[in-house]
Amino acid sequence: MAEELILLNIWASPFGMRVRIALAEKGVDGYETREENLQNMSPLLLQMNPVHKKIPVLIHNGRPVCESLIIVQYIDEVWKRGSPLLPSDPYRRAHARFWADYVDKKLYSLGKLIWLTTGEAAAKEELIGCFKLLEGELGDKTYFGGDSFGFVDVSLISFYRWFNVFEHFGNFSMVVECPKLVAWAHRCAERESVSKCLPNEQEFFDFVVELRKKAMTK
Amino acid sequence: MASHGVVLLNSWVSMFGMRVMIALKEKGVEYEYREENLTDKSQLLLEMNPIHKKIPVLIHNGKPVCESLIIVQYIDEVWNEKYPLLPSDPYQRAQARFWADYVDQKLYGALRKVLFTKGEEQEEAKEFVDVLKVLEGALGEMPYFGGEKFGYVDIALVTFYCWFYAYETLGGLNIEAECPKLIAWAKRCMERESVSKSLADPHKVYDFAVGLRKKFGVD
């Protein structure tokens, strides 16, 4: 049966990027991407994700999978090509899920406090603390997954373009605060699966500046 | 040691801790239970969950697993010879993870708003009921969220049932009138020993909630 795979996404979304990276890691490229506009959602999006009305949504043979980390796990379980994104050992799997969950719980909301406001010192300290904790977890490993690029790497590298947004609006330097994490990010960015999914740096930065302007004039 | 190296750090009133207790009971795993005082956390808790400093924490052969849904999945994968909690089909698994995540994203926050904040209780009460109605819709006509078998989503949600009495009494609502099918499902779950032995007494939960409200200056 011909496989039908559609990704409902927004080019700048770090969550959508996770899905694209995971599919690329599995060598899956015969899929259609539909760019959504959250101010004017497509009927398909509303039909496929009526509960949250958010992207990304992966539609596989007509059936939707929602929530980026759930989609990445689904991809890992369906497409067995290449190295698995989650380890096979239950304890290491739980550990990977914990850190991906930590990225979800902390990074996006803390980051918002940086780029959507005007220099909150406490938020900046907390965000740097968050990155340092992640750097501690990485340790001297090549990837969070150890020797192989895995679940936590996918979860975090999708925020790569946000790093210089945070630096700019938070007025700090990532390479000064967490050099090992920056080295890890560069390593990941060299992977084809990541480099082809990263939005253009300047385009992304300009996009965030626009968003910030709009939000702050409200 | 009878507990075979399994320790649960918990707080009796936590619906998140109860999920772990149900999962362990479903798998027939013996464990040592340790009640934490969340206003005076033990060294062990701070050592085992330094990042979030929260319960539940499952310590298996000295190694900690944190976050209740991650713990439940871990239990399902380690003690995998009997009674799978998650389906084997990847799409069904994704659906189960989605709905458990929905409970985490929406229900706890809505419950907290009504119980522990002042003013606009009616608005928040509606939000809580709306979330329950979505879940009731997802259940449909099935006996459990897992279909014919009690599973992951059932575990994620049923532990909120013992908080309903507190919610109804303090929030001024009748959940059974709003979501009869969901209450029928909850009572069905309560017939399982793993659930009835793990859920806290609703009246004790109510007393606890009243105490917390006084502490937060809500009442």
Side-chain angles (χ1 to χ4, degrees), chain A residues 101-178:
Chain A
D101 175 69
Y102 177 81
V103 173
D104 261 9
K105 280 189 161 85
K106 295 285 184 181
L107 213 61
Y108 191 61
S109 49
L110 274 180
K112 260 192 175 171
L113 291 176
I114 302 285
W115 65 273
L116 271 180
T117 63
T118 43
E120 303 255 356
K124 168 183 155 179
E125 287 314 308
E126 223 187 314
L127 183 67
I128 293 173
C130 176
F131 280 125
K132 286 190 158 153
L133 212 60
L134 286 159
E135 191 180 53
E137 168 55 25
L138 176 67
D140 291 313
K141 304 195 295 274
T142 311
Y143 298 110
F144 281 90
D147 291 327
S148 11
F149 182 78
F151 191 60
V152 182
D153 303 283
V154 174
S155 312
L156 182 57
I157 197 59
S158 59
F159 282 88
Y160 186 49
R161 286 291 182 240
W162 284 95
F163 288 6
N164 57 300
V165 170
F166 297 152
E167 285 179 306
H168 182 89
F169 291 110
N171 195 27
F172 67 93
S173 162
M174 288 282 292
V175 78
V176 166
E177 300 288 348
C178 30

Coordinates of all heavy atoms in Angstrom, one line a residue, chain A residues 101-178:
Chain A
D101 N 11.3 15.7 28.5 CA 10.2 16.4 29.2 C 10.7 17.6 29.9 O 10.0 18.7 29.9 CB 9.7 15.4 30.2 CG 8.6 16.0 31.1 OD1 7.5 16.3 30.6 OD2 8.8 16.2 32.3
Y102 N 12.0 17.6 30.4 CA 12.6 18.8 31.1 C 12.7 19.9 30.1 O 12.3 21.1 30.4 CB 13.9 18.4 31.7 CG 14.6 19.6 32.3 CD1 14.3 20.0 33.6 CD2 15.6 20.3 31.6 CE1 14.9 21.1 34.2 CE2 16.2 21.4 32.2 CZ 15.9 21.8 33.5 OH 16.5 22.9 34.0
V103 N 13.2 19.6 28.9 CA 13.3 20.6 27.8 C 11.9 21.2 27.6 O 11.7 22.4 27.5 CB 13.9 20.0 26.5 CG1 13.8 21.0 25.4 CG2 15.3 19.5 26.7
D104 N 10.9 20.4 27.4 CA 9.5 20.8 27.2 C 9.0 21.7 28.3 O 8.4 22.7 28.1 CB 8.6 19.6 27.0 CG 8.3 19.4 25.5 OD1 9.0 20.0 24.7 OD2 7.5 18.5 25.2
K105 N 9.3 21.3 29.5 CA 8.7 22.0 30.7 C 9.4 23.4 30.9 O 8.7 24.3 31.3 CB 8.9 21.2 32.0 CG 7.9 20.1 32.2 CD 8.0 19.5 33.6 CE 6.7 18.8 34.0 NZ 6.7 17.4 33.6
K106 N 10.7 23.5 30.6 CA 11.4 24.6 31.0 C 11.8 25.6 29.8 O 11.6 26.8 30.0 CB 12.7 24.2 31.6 CG 12.5 23.4 32.9 CD 12.1 24.3 34.1 CE 12.0 23.6 35.4 NZ 11.6 24.5 36.5
L107 N 12.3 25.1 28.7 CA 13.0 25.9 27.8 C 12.1 26.9 27.1 O 12.4 28.1 27.1 CB 13.7 25.1 26.7 CG 15.0 25.6 26.2 CD1 16.0 25.8 27.4 CD2 15.6 24.7 25.2
Y108 N 11.0 26.5 26.6 CA 10.1 27.3 25.8 C 9.5 28.5 26.7 O 9.6 29.6 26.3 CB 9.0 26.5 25.1 CG 8.2 27.3 24.1 CD1 8.8 27.8 23.0 CD2 6.9 27.5 24.2 CE1 8.1 28.5 22.0 CE2 6.1 28.2 23.3 CZ 6.8 28.7 22.2 OH 6.1 29.4 21.2
S109 N 9.0 28.1 27.8 CA 8.3 29.1 28.7 C 9.3 30.1 29.3 O 9.1 31.3 29.4 CB 7.5 28.4 29.8 OG 8.2 27.5 30.4
L110 N 10.5 29.6 29.7 CA 11.5 30.4 30.2 C 12.1 31.4 29.1 O 12.3 32.5 29.4 CB 12.7 29.6 30.8 CG 12.6 29.1 32.2 CD1 13.9 28.3 32.6 CD2 12.4 30.3 33.2
G111 N 12.2 30.8 28.0 CA 12.7 31.5 26.8 C 11.8 32.7 26.5 O 12.3 33.8 26.2
K112 N 10.5 32.4 26.6 CA 9.5 33.5 26.3 C 9.7 34.7 27.2 O 9.5 35.8 26.8 CB 8.1 32.9 26.5 CG 7.4 32.5 25.2 CD 5.9 32.2 25.5 CE 5.3 31.9 24.1 NZ 3.9 31.4 24.3
L113 N 10.0 34.4 28.5 CA 10.2 35.5 29.4 C 11.4 36.4 29.0 O 11.4 37.5 29.4 CB 10.4 34.9 30.8 CG 9.3 34.2 31.5 CD1 9.7 33.6 32.8 CD2 8.1 35.2 31.7
I114 N 12.3 35.8 28.2 CA 13.4 36.6 27.8 C 13.1 37.4 26.6 O 13.3 38.6 26.6 CB 14.6 35.6 27.4 CG1 15.0 34.7 28.6 CG2 15.8 36.4 26.9 CD1 15.8 35.4 29.7
W115 N 12.5 36.8 25.5 CA 12.4 37.5 24.3 C 11.1 38.3 24.2 O 11.0 39.2 23.4 CB 12.6 36.7 23.1 CG 11.6 35.6 22.8 CD1 11.6 34.3 23.4 CD2 10.4 35.7 22.0 NE1 10.5 33.6 22.9 CE2 9.8 34.4 22.1 CE3 9.8 36.7 21.2 CZ2 8.6 34.1 21.4 CZ3 8.7 36.4 20.6 CH2 8.0 35.1 20.7
L116 N 10.1 38.0 25.1 CA 8.9 38.7 25.0 C 8.8 39.9 26.0 O 7.9 40.6 26.1 CB 7.7 37.8 25.3 CG 7.1 37.1 24.0 CD1 6.0 36.2 24.4 CD2 6.6 38.2 23.0
T117 N 9.9 40.0 26.9 CA 9.9 41.1 27.9 C 11.1 41.9 27.7 O 12.0 41.6 26.9 CB 9.8 40.5 29.3 OG1 10.9 39.7 29.5 CG2 8.5 39.7 29.5
T118 N 11.2 42.9 28.6 CA 12.4 43.7 28.5 C 13.4 43.4 29.6 O 13.3 44.1 30.7 CB 12.0 45.2 28.5 OG1 11.0 45.4 29.5 CG2 11.5 45.6 27.1
G119 N 14.2 42.5 29.4 CA 15.3 42.2 30.4 C 15.0 41.9 31.8 O 15.3 42.6 32.7
E120 N 14.4 40.7 32.0 CA 14.1 40.3 33.4 C 15.3 39.5 33.9 O 15.5 38.4 33.4 CB 12.9 39.4 33.4 CG 11.6 40.0 32.8 CD 10.6 40.4 33.8 OE1 10.9 40.1 35.0 OE2 9.6 40.9 33.5
A121 N 16.0 40.0 34.8 CA 17.2 39.4 35.3 C 17.0 38.0 35.9 O 17.8 37.1 35.6 CB 17.9 40.3 36.3
A122 N 15.9 37.8 36.6 CA 15.6 36.5 37.2 C 15.4 35.5 36.1 O 15.9 34.4 36.2 CB 14.4 36.7 38.1
A123 N 14.6 35.9 35.1 CA 14.3 34.9 34.0 C 15.6 34.5 33.3 O 15.8 33.3 33.0 CB 13.3 35.5 33.0
K124 N 16.5 35.5 33.1 CA 17.7 35.2 32.4 C 18.6 34.2 33.2 O 19.1 33.2 32.7 CB 18.5 36.5 32.2 CG 19.9 36.4 31.8 CD 20.6 37.7 31.7 CE 22.1 37.7 31.9 NZ 22.7 39.0 31.8
E125 N 18.7 34.4 34.5 CA 19.4 33.5 35.4 C 18.9 32.1 35.4 O 19.6 31.1 35.3 CB 19.5 34.1 36.9 CG 20.3 35.3 37.1 CD 21.7 35.2 36.4 OE1 22.4 34.1 36.7 OE2 22.1 36.1 35.7
E126 N 17.5 32.1 35.4 CA 16.9 30.8 35.4 C 17.1 30.0 34.1 O 17.4 28.8 34.1 CB 15.4 30.9 35.6 CG 14.8 29.9 36.6 CD 13.3 29.9 36.7 OE1 12.7 31.0 36.8 OE2 12.7 28.8 36.7
L127 N 17.1 30.8 32.9 CA 17.3 30.1 31.6 C 18.7 29.6 31.5 O 19.0 28.5 31.1 CB 17.0 31.1 30.5 CG 17.2 30.6 29.1 CD1 16.1 29.5 28.8 CD2 17.1 31.7 28.0
I128 N 19.7 30.5 32.0 CA 21.1 30.0 31.9 C 21.3 28.8 32.8 O 22.0 27.8 32.4 CB 22.0 31.2 32.4 CG1 22.0 32.3 31.3 CG2 23.5 30.7 32.6 CD1 22.8 33.6 31.8
G129 N 20.6 28.8 34.0 CA 20.6 27.7 34.9 C 20.1 26.4 34.2 O 20.7 25.3 34.4
C130 N 19.1 26.6 33.4 CA 18.5 25.5 32.7 C 19.5 24.9 31.7 O 19.7 23.7 31.6 CB 17.2 26.0 32.1 SG 16.3 24.9 31.0
F131 N 20.1 25.8 30.9 CA 21.1 25.3 30.0 C 22.3 24.6 30.6 O 22.8 23.6 30.2 CB 21.6 26.5 29.1 CG 20.7 26.9 28.0 CD1 20.2 28.2 27.9 CD2 20.3 25.9 27.1 CE1 19.4 28.5 26.8 CE2 19.5 26.3 26.0 CZ 19.0 27.6 25.9
K132 N 22.7 25.2 31.8 CA 23.9 24.6 32.5 C 23.5 23.2 33.0 O 24.3 22.3 33.0 CB 24.3 25.5 33.7 CG 25.0 26.7 33.2 CD 25.7 27.5 34.3 CE 26.8 28.3 33.7 NZ 27.2 29.5 34.3
L133 N 22.3 23.0 33.4 CA 21.8 21.7 33.9 C 21.9 20.7 32.7 O 22.3 19.6 32.9 CB 20.4 21.8 34.4 CG 20.0 20.9 35.5 CD1 20.8 21.2 36.8 CD2 18.5 21.2 35.9
L134 N 21.4 21.1 31.6 CA 21.4 20.3 30.4 C 22.9 20.0 30.0 O 23.2 18.8 29.7 CB 20.7 21.0 29.2 CG 19.2 21.0 29.4 CD1 18.5 22.0 28.5 CD2 18.6 19.6 29.0
E135 N 23.7 21.0 30.1 CA 25.1 20.7 29.8 C 25.7 19.7 30.8 O 26.5 18.9 30.4 CB 25.9 22.1 30.0 CG 27.3 22.0 29.4 CD 28.0 23.3 29.5 OE1 28.1 23.9 30.6 OE2 28.6 23.8 28.5
G136 N 25.3 19.8 32.1 CA 25.8 18.8 33.0 C 25.3 17.4 32.7 O 26.1 16.4 32.8
E137 N 24.1 17.3 32.2 CA 23.6 16.0 31.8 C 24.3 15.5 30.6 O 24.6 14.3 30.5 CB 22.1 16.1 31.5 CG 21.4 14.9 30.9 CD 21.6 13.6 31.6 OE1 21.8 13.6 32.8 OE2 21.6 12.6 30.9
L138 N 24.7 16.3 29.7 CA 25.4 15.9 28.5 C 26.8 15.4 28.9 O 27.3 14.4 28.4 CB 25.6 17.1 27.5 CG 26.5 16.9 26.3 CD1 25.8 15.9 25.3 CD2 26.7 18.2 25.5
G139 N 27.5 16.1 29.8 CA 28.8 15.7 30.3 C 29.8 15.7 29.1 O 29.8 16.6 28.3
D140 N 30.5 14.6 29.1 CA 31.5 14.5 28.0 C 31.1 13.6 26.9 O 31.9 13.2 26.0 CB 32.9 14.0 28.6 CG 33.5 15.0 29.5 OD1 33.6 16.2 29.1 OD2 33.9 14.6 30.7
K141 N 29.8 13.3 26.8 CA 29.3 12.5 25.7 C 29.2 13.3 24.4 O 29.1 14.5 24.4 CB 27.9 12.0 26.1 CG 27.8 11.2 27.4 CD 26.5 10.4 27.6 CE 25.3 11.3 27.6 NZ 25.0 11.8 29.0
T142 N 29.2 12.5 23.3 CA 29.1 13.2 22.0 C 27.7 13.7 21.9 O 27.5 14.8 21.4 CB 29.4 12.1 20.9 OG1 30.6 11.4 21.2 CG2 29.5 12.8 19.5
Y143 N 26.7 12.9 22.2 CA 25.3 13.3 22.2 C 24.7 13.0 23.5 O 25.3 12.2 24.3 CB 24.6 12.5 21.1 CG 25.1 12.8 19.7 CD1 25.8 11.7 19.0 CD2 24.9 14.0 19.1 CE1 26.2 11.9 17.7 CE2 25.4 14.2 17.8 CZ 26.1 13.2 17.1 OH 26.5 13.4 15.8
F144 N 23.5 13.5 23.8 CA 22.8 13.1 25.0 C 22.5 11.6 25.0 O 22.5 11.0 26.0 CB 21.4 13.9 25.1 CG 21.6 15.3 25.6 CD1 21.8 16.3 24.7 CD2 21.6 15.6 26.9 CE1 22.0 17.6 25.1 CE2 21.8 16.9 27.4 CZ 22.0 18.0 26.4
G145 N 22.3 11.1 23.8 CA 22.1 9.7 23.7 C 23.3 8.8 23.8 O 23.3 7.6 23.8
G146 N 24.5 9.4 24.1 CA 25.8 8.7 24.2 C 26.5 8.8 22.8 O 26.8 9.9 22.3
D147 N 26.8 7.7 22.2 CA 27.5 7.7 20.9 C 26.5 8.0 19.8 O 26.9 8.5 18.7 CB 28.2 6.4 20.6 CG 29.4 6.2 21.6 OD1 30.0 7.2 21.9 OD2 29.7 5.1 21.9
S148 N 25.2 7.7 20.0 CA 24.3 7.9 18.9 C 23.3 9.1 19.2 O 22.9 9.3 20.4 CB 23.5 6.7 18.5 OG 23.6 5.7 19.4
F149 N 23.1 9.8 18.2 CA 22.1 10.9 18.2 C 20.7 10.3 18.6 O 20.3 9.4 18.0 CB 22.1 11.5 16.8 CG 21.2 12.7 16.6 CD1 21.6 14.0 17.1 CD2 20.0 12.6 16.0 CE1 20.8 15.1 16.9 CE2 19.2 13.7 15.8 CZ 19.6 15.0 16.2
G150 N 20.1 10.9 19.6 CA 18.8 10.3 20.0 C 17.7 11.3 20.4 O 17.8 12.4 20.1
F151 N 16.8 10.8 21.2 CA 15.6 11.4 21.6 C 15.8 12.8 22.2 O 15.2 13.8 21.8 CB 14.8 10.5 22.5 CG 13.4 10.9 22.8 CD1 12.5 11.0 21.8 CD2 13.0 11.1 24.1 CE1 11.1 11.3 22.1 CE2 11.7 11.5 24.4 CZ 10.7 11.6 23.4
V152 N 16.7 12.9 23.2 CA 16.9 14.1 23.9 C 17.6 15.1 22.9 O 17.3 16.3 22.9 CB 17.8 13.9 25.1 CG1 17.9 15.3 25.9 CG2 17.1 12.9 26.1
D153 N 18.5 14.6 22.1 CA 19.2 15.5 21.1 C 18.2 16.1 20.2 O 18.2 17.3 19.9 CB 20.2 14.7 20.3 CG 21.2 14.0 21.2 OD1 22.2 14.7 21.6 OD2 21.1 12.8 21.4
V154 N 17.2 15.3 19.7 CA 16.2 15.8 18.8 C 15.3 16.9 19.5 O 15.0 17.9 19.0 CB 15.3 14.7 18.3 CG1 14.1 15.2 17.5 CG2 16.0 13.7 17.5
S155 N 15.0 16.6 20.8 CA 14.2 17.5 21.5 C 14.8 18.8 21.8 O 14.1 19.8 21.8 CB 13.8 16.9 22.9 OG 13.4 15.6 22.8
L156 N 16.1 18.8 21.9 CA 16.8 20.1 22.3 C 17.3 20.8 21.1 O 17.3 22.1 21.0 CB 17.9 19.8 23.3 CG 18.7 21.1 23.8 CD1 17.7 22.1 24.4 CD2 19.7 20.6 24.8
I157 N 17.9 20.1 20.1 CA 18.5 20.8 19.0 C 17.5 21.6 18.2 O 17.8 22.6 17.5 CB 19.3 19.8 18.1 CG1 20.3 20.6 17.1 CG2 18.4 18.9 17.2 CD1 21.3 21.5 17.9
S158 N 16.2 21.2 18.3 CA 15.2 21.9 17.6 C 15.1 23.4 18.1 O 14.5 24.2 17.4 CB 13.8 21.2 17.7 OG 13.5 21.1 19.1
F159 N 15.7 23.7 19.2 CA 15.7 25.0 19.7 C 16.9 25.8 19.3 O 17.1 27.0 19.8 CB 15.5 25.0 21.3 CG 14.2 24.8 21.8 CD1 13.7 23.5 22.0 CD2 13.3 25.9 22.0 CE1 12.4 23.3 22.4 CE2 12.0 25.7 22.4 CZ 11.5 24.4 22.6
Y160 N 17.8 25.2 18.5 CA 19.0 25.8 18.1 C 19.0 27.2 17.7 O 19.7 28.1 18.1 CB 19.7 24.9 17.1 CG 21.1 25.3 16.7 CD1 22.1 25.6 17.7 CD2 21.5 25.4 15.4 CE1 23.4 25.9 17.3 CE2 22.8 25.7 15.0 CZ 23.7 26.0 16.0 OH 25.0 26.3 15.7
R161 N 18.0 27.5 16.8 CA 17.9 28.9 16.3 C 17.4 29.9 17.3 O 17.5 31.1 17.2 CB 16.9 28.9 15.1 CG 17.5 28.3 13.8 CD 18.6 29.2 13.2 NE 19.1 28.6 12.0 CZ 20.4 28.3 11.8 NH1 21.3 28.4 12.8 NH2 20.8 27.8 10.7
W162 N 16.9 29.3 18.4 CA 16.5 30.2 19.5 C 17.7 30.7 20.4 O 17.5 31.6 21.1 CB 15.5 29.5 20.4 CG 14.1 29.4 19.8 CD1 13.6 28.4 19.1 CD2 13.1 30.4 19.9 NE1 12.3 28.7 18.7 CE2 12.0 30.0 19.2 CE3 13.0 31.7 20.5 CZ2 10.8 30.7 19.1 CZ3 11.9 32.4 20.4 CH2 10.8 31.9 19.7
F163 N 18.8 29.9 20.3 CA 19.9 30.3 21.1 C 20.4 31.7 20.9 O 20.5 32.4 21.9 CB 21.1 29.3 20.9 CG 20.9 27.9 21.4 CD1 19.7 27.5 21.9 CD2 22.0 27.0 21.3 CE1 19.6 26.2 22.4 CE2 21.8 25.7 21.7 CZ 20.6 25.3 22.3
N164 N 20.5 32.1 19.7 CA 21.0 33.5 19.5 C 19.9 34.6 19.8 O 20.2 35.7 20.0 CB 21.8 33.8 18.3 CG 21.1 33.5 17.0 OD1 20.8 32.4 16.8 ND2 20.9 34.5 16.2
V165 N 18.6 34.1 19.7 CA 17.5 35.0 20.1 C 17.6 35.3 21.6 O 17.6 36.4 22.1 CB 16.1 34.4 19.8 CG1 15.0 35.1 20.5 CG2 15.9 34.2 18.3
F166 N 17.8 34.2 22.4 CA 18.0 34.3 23.9 C 19.2 35.2 24.2 O 19.1 36.0 25.1 CB 18.2 32.9 24.5 CG 17.0 32.0 24.4 CD1 17.2 30.6 24.4 CD2 15.7 32.5 24.2 CE1 16.1 29.7 24.2 CE2 14.6 31.6 24.1 CZ 14.8 30.2 24.1
E167 N 20.3 34.9 23.5 CA 21.5 35.7 23.7 C 21.3 37.2 23.5 O 21.7 38.0 24.3 CB 22.7 35.2 22.8 CG 23.3 33.9 23.1 CD 24.4 33.5 22.1 OE1 24.0 33.5 20.9 OE2 25.5 33.2 22.6
H168 N 20.6 37.4 22.4 CA 20.4 38.8 22.0 C 19.5 39.6 23.0 O 19.9 40.6 23.5 CB 19.8 38.9 20.6 CG 19.6 40.3 20.1 ND1 20.5 40.9 19.4 CD2 18.5 41.1 20.2 CE1 20.0 42.1 19.1 NE2 18.8 42.2 19.6
F169 N 18.4 39.0 23.3 CA 17.4 39.7 24.2 C 17.8 39.5 25.7 O 17.4 40.3 26.5 CB 16.0 39.2 23.9 CG 15.5 39.7 22.5 CD1 15.3 38.8 21.5 CD2 15.3 41.0 22.3 CE1 14.9 39.2 20.2 CE2 14.9 41.5 21.0 CZ 14.7 40.6 20.0
G170 N 18.5 38.4 26.0 CA 18.9 38.2 27.4 C 20.2 38.8 27.7 O 20.6 38.9 28.9
N171 N 20.9 39.2 26.7 CA 22.2 39.8 26.8 C 23.2 38.9 27.6 O 23.7 39.3 28.7 CB 22.1 41.2 27.5 CG 23.4 42.1 27.4 OD1 24.1 41.9 26.5 ND2 23.6 42.9 28.4
F172 N 23.4 37.8 27.0 CA 24.4 36.9 27.6 C 25.0 36.1 26.4 O 24.5 36.2 25.3 CB 23.9 36.0 28.7 CG 22.9 35.0 28.2 CD1 23.3 33.7 27.8 CD2 21.5 35.3 28.2 CE1 22.3 32.7 27.4 CE2 20.6 34.3 27.7 CZ 21.0 33.1 27.4
S173 N 26.1 35.4 26.7 CA 26.7 34.6 25.6 C 26.6 33.1 25.9 O 27.1 32.7 27.0 CB 28.2 35.0 25.4 OG 28.9 34.0 24.8
M174 N 26.0 32.3 25.1 CA 25.9 30.9 25.3 C 27.2 30.2 25.4 O 27.4 29.3 26.2 CB 25.1 30.2 24.2 CG 23.6 30.5 24.1 SD 22.6 29.6 25.4 CE 22.8 27.9 24.7
V175 N 28.2 30.6 24.5 CA 29.4 29.9 24.4 C 30.3 30.2 25.7 O 31.1 29.4 26.1 CB 30.2 30.3 23.1 CG1 30.9 31.7 23.2 CG2 31.2 29.2 22.8
V176 N 30.0 31.4 26.3 CA 30.7 31.7 27.6 C 30.0 30.9 28.7 O 30.7 30.3 29.6 CB 30.6 33.2 27.9 CG1 30.9 33.5 29.4 CG2 31.5 34.0 27.0
E177 N 28.7 30.9 28.8 CA 28.0 30.2 29.9 C 28.0 28.7 29.8 O 28.1 28.0 30.8 CB 26.5 30.7 29.9 CG 26.3 32.2 30.1 CD 26.7 32.6 31.5 OE1 26.8 31.7 32.4 OE2 26.8 33.8 31.8
C178 N 27.8 28.2 28.6 CA 27.8 26.7 28.4 C 28.5 26.2 27.1 O 27.8 25.8 26.2 CB 26.4 26.1 28.5 SG 25.1 27.2 28.0

